[in-house]
Every structure is written in structure tokens, then in C-alpha cells.
Amino acid sequence: MATKHGTGQSVELVYRPAPEDGEECLRIVTRLSLRTFVLRYLRRSAVLMIAAVFLTLVTDVLILLVGGAVGAAVGLLLGFLRFRAAKGALARRLSESAGAGEGRQRLVVDGSGVRRAAAGEQTVSGWDRYPQYVETTDLFVLLGEDQEGLLVTPLPKRGARGTEGVNRLREILDRHSALAA
């Protein structure tokens, strides 16, 4: 169903959650998060090592180089453990939502954000929570971060009414969120 809401159209998605949706979300998040992990933690470790080498050359104290190497290694290890913990928490949330979804889910996506009605509950998330999205063959995946970690919302294309609904959904996402690389 497409209706006008606010300044643009809305798209209604009605679907049953499937485990495949969560698995696809995890693949996307792993790919994007691993890239972020590598950029963030390797860059920090490289800066720490360069500083340690410089201080060792300037002060001629070899222990600074050893300390820098240990610090860089510990930083990488802690970053990797944080990455794994976030991925595990996301996997649990996605499997819980798929398992709890014995009934149909209804989402309305429009200019104000995403409204979800499932199991007698209704939640609304504005576009400020989802700065990016990814499109796959079967899903649009909204991506963001909050205090609890990664924020991932799958929008199964099967829930839209045909190609026209999928195209309208893509237009709304393009207008309010950025396509992740």
C-alpha cells in the first residue's frame, strides 16, 4: 500500500521474519564492521608504533619500542574482542526477533522513518538512527549505532507489494539515508 505521508510516499511491508534475513544481516554487518575495525584499530596501532619508534630513536631507550609494540598488540586484541562481542550480541538479537516472529510483522517506511507493528507493540525509529543502508537481492538493511551497539533493521523485499513497492522503498531510502559502500 502506498500512501502519502508527510512530504513523500510511504511503503508498507508485511512479512514473516525468516532466519535467512538475520543471516544476511550478519554477513553485511561483518563485512562492514571488519573494514571499520581494520581501519580504526590498525591505524591506532600504527600511530602508537610510529611514536614508539620515534621516541626510541630520540631517547635511545629500547624499552619504549617494546612498550609500544605491546601496547599496539593489546589494542588490536581488545578491538578484535569488542568486534566479536558486538557481532555476537547482534546475532542473538536477530535470531530472537526471527524466533519471536511467528506472526506477521508490519512496517511502514516513510519520510519520518520506520514504524513497526508486531506482537501488539508499535515502535517508531526516525531516519537519524539509520544513516546508512545496504541493498541485497532480497533485503534492504538499515544500519546505525546506538548506546547498545549496532542497530540493524532488515526490510525484506518480499514484504513490499511487487516491484513498484520495492522501487518506492528504494526512493525513500535514497532520500533519507546513504547507500553504504
Side-chain angles (χ1 to χ4, degrees), residues 60-111:
D60 202 26
V61 178
L62 189 60
I63 193 72
L64 292 174
L65 184 59
V66 173
V70 168
V74 168
L76 278 174
L77 177 63
L78 291 176
F80 182 73
L81 292 175
R82 182 173 179 230
F83 167 72
R84 296 289 302 195
K87 184 180 167 192
L90 177 62
R92 283 189 298 281
R93 274 191 291 183
L94 289 171
S95 65
E96 286 170 5
S97 68
E102 57 273 349
R104 292 179 159 271
Q105 297 229 355
R106 180 178 173 271
L107 279 79
V108 177
V109 182
D110 60 26

Side-chain angles (χ1 to χ4, degrees), residues 34-154:
L34 193 56
R35 186 179 329 152
T36 301
F37 164 76
V38 167
L39 290 175
R40 181 180 298 155
Y41 290 101
L42 284 182
R43 189 177 331 154
R44 288 179 185 168
S45 295
V47 167
L48 185 59
M49 281 304 300
I50 290 169
V53 167
F54 177 76
L55 287 172
T56 301
L57 292 174
V58 169
T59 61
D60 202 26
V61 178
L62 189 60
I63 193 72
L64 292 174
L65 184 59
V66 173
V70 168
V74 168
L76 278 174
L77 177 63
L78 291 176
F80 182 73
L81 292 175
R82 182 173 179 230
F83 167 72
R84 296 289 302 195
K87 184 180 167 192
L90 177 62
R92 283 189 298 281
R93 274 191 291 183
L94 289 171
S95 65
E96 286 170 5
S97 68
E102 57 273 349
R104 292 179 159 271
Q105 297 229 355
R106 180 178 173 271
L107 279 79
V108 177
V109 182
D110 60 26
S112 63
V114 179
R115 291 190 308 278
R116 175 189 309 264
E121 293 182 22
Q122 187 166 12
T123 58
V124 180
S125 299
W127 288 113
D128 58 326
R129 296 190 70 182
Y130 300 111
Q132 293 184 314
Y133 78 95
V134 173
E135 181 176 1
T136 69
T137 306
D138 300 319
L139 297 172
F140 290 100
V141 181
L142 301 177
L143 302 167
E145 287 189 45
D146 62 5
Q147 297 88 344
E148 298 173 20
L150 297 171
L151 185 62
V152 178
T153 299

Side-chain angles (χ1 to χ4, degrees), residues 20-21 24-25 27-28 31 133-141 155-160 162-163 166-167 169-170 179:
E20 299 83 36
D21 299 341
E24 185 70 18
C25 289
R27 279 192 293 275
I28 290 167
R31 179 177 49 88
Y133 78 95
V134 173
E135 181 176 1
T136 69
T137 306
D138 300 319
L139 297 172
F140 290 100
V141 181
L155 303 175
K157 292 179 180 180
R158 68 180 180 278
T163 307
V166 171
N167 290 337
L169 181 56
R170 187 179 296 112
L179 186 61

